[in-house]
Amino acid sequence: ARYIAVEFHCHTPASDDFEVGEPEGYKAIAERLGATGVDAVFVTDHNAWEGIAGLSKAVRDQGVATQVYPGVELTIVAPAARIGDGLSKEDRKIKPYFFHCLVFLPPSDQAAKQIETLVTDNFRNVEVLKQRPTERKLSQGLDEIARQVHEWGGLVLVAHFHQGKAPEKSRSHDDIYCDELAIQHLHDCFDAIEVRDEGQATFFDGLHMGTNGEVIPEKACVLGSDAHHPTAVGEEKTWLLVENNTFVD
C-alpha cells in the first residue's frame, strides 16, 4: 500500500464560473496537477460533464501521470421554511433554497451520460440544459439522486460543509436543514463529507451529537480545493492509503 494525493473538488472551463477559458484552462489545470504532485483528481463541474473529457485529454497531451476520475457538483432544490425567533412572516414562508453535493462515479464510457441523466432528471427536464451550468437546478430530490448514484456504484458527498451563511446565501447542506433532517440524510444518502478544514472532521467521529441530542454518524471526511482557477488546483489535497490508484481503492 502507498499514500496518494487526491484532489476531490476541481472545476474546469466546463463550469461557467471557472476563471480561465478553454483550451488554455484545461492545459493550465493539467500542468498544475503535475506540479503539485496530485495523483488523482475528480472533475466536479457545476451540473455539467464536458470537463471530464477535456481534462483527460489535456492530462494525456501534457504527459501528466494524474488519474482523472468522473464527477459532478450538483445543485439540489430544498423547499424549506426557516424557523427560529425574530424571523418575519416572509422569512417563515416555504421557499426554494439550494445546496450543493458532490457525486463521484466509477470511470466508464457511460459516466458522462450518467451525469446528464442526473442533471436532466432522466431526460424529463432537458430544458435545463439551455441554462448556464451554475444556473441549472435538479428537479428531483436528494433521496432519488443518492439511490441512482449508488445503483451505479458511485458515491455522494456533502459539499463544502458548514459555510456558516444564511440559507439563502449558503450552498452547504447543513446550513439549510435542521439537525434532525441533516443527520437523517447522513444516514440515508451521503457516503462522506467534504470539510473545509481538518478541524471540522471531528464532528463526524461518531462521538458528537446534534442539537436534537441525536448522535451524528461517523463518516469519512475529505478536503477539496473547490478550484475555480488553475492556480488553486491542489491547494487542499487529501492523502489516501491505497493498494492501487483506482476508483475502488
Side-chain angles (χ1 to χ4, degrees):
R2 63 189 178 97
Y3 282 99
I4 64 171
V6 184
E7 170 62 271
F8 278 108
H9 194 163
C10 182
H11 292 271
T12 78
S15 289
D16 56 280
D17 58 351
F18 196 76
E19 297 179 37
V20 181
E22 56 179 296
E24 294 83 3
Y26 289 112
K27 179 181 178 183
I29 296 170
E31 291 175 345
R32 176 71 177 174
L33 289 168
T36 55
V38 173
D39 298 292
V41 58
F42 283 87
V43 177
T44 52
D45 285 309
H46 293 290
N47 311 296
W49 55 90
E50 296 86 351
I52 300 167
L55 184 57
S56 296
K57 182 180 184 301
V59 164
R60 291 193 302 270
D61 291 348
Q62 296 298 312
V64 175
T66 305
Q67 179 69 44
V68 178
Y69 290 103
V72 64
E73 183 171 20
L74 299 176
T75 303
I76 301 176
V77 179
R82 296 181 64 182
I83 57 176
D85 298 332
L87 295 174
S88 67
K89 186 176 181 180
E90 182 65 25
D91 287 335
R92 295 176 184 273
K93 289 182 179 179
I94 295 178
K95 300 177 182 178
Y97 297 103
F98 315 105
F99 67 91
H100 291 166
C101 73
L102 300 177
V103 166
F104 302 152
L105 295 170
S108 78
D109 294 339
Q110 298 301 311
K113 184 61 68 176
Q114 289 169 339
I115 294 171
E116 186 177 8
T117 299
L118 292 173
V119 173
T120 62
D121 190 8
N122 202 22
F123 300 96
R124 291 187 288 262
N125 183 28
V126 294
E127 291 295 308
V128 73
L129 299 181
K130 295 180 180 179
Q131 299 175 313
R132 295 187 303 170
T134 52
E135 295 175 346
R136 298 170 183 171
K137 298 175 179 64
L138 277 64
S139 56
Q140 67 273 47
L142 175 61
D143 290 349
E144 183 178 349
I145 292 165
R147 177 190 57 77
Q148 182 65 82
V149 171
H150 291 149
E151 285 182 3
W152 291 332
L155 302 171
V156 183
L157 286 76
V158 175
H160 38 65
F161 171 75
H162 195 58
Q163 290 183 315
K165 299 178 181 178
E168 61 271 15
K169 295 182 179 180
S170 178
R171 295 296 178 260
S172 296
H173 174 269
D174 68 296
D175 286 335
I176 294 175
Y177 286 101
C178 66
D179 279 9
E180 182 178 357
L181 283 172
I183 290 172
Q184 190 62 49
H185 286 162
L186 288 173
H187 283 292
D188 297 341
C189 302
F190 292 116
D191 301 289
I193 315 292
E194 181 200 24
V195 294
R196 295 182 301 110
D197 62 68
E198 294 179 14
Q200 291 180 336
T202 60
F203 290 104
F204 303 100
D205 58 6
L207 302 176
H208 287 72
M209 293 187 296
T211 56
N212 61 342
E214 186 176 353
V215 175
I216 301 171
E218 184 176 2
K219 290 286 179 180
C221 294
V222 302
L223 290 171
S225 299
D226 195 6
H228 285 74
H229 189 281
T231 57
V233 174
E235 285 189 347
E236 294 289 355
K237 299 188 289 286
T238 299
W239 291 91
L240 297 184
L241 182 63
V242 300
E243 292 292 335
N244 300 288
N245 189 350
T246 65
F247 183 85
V248 173
D249 283 280

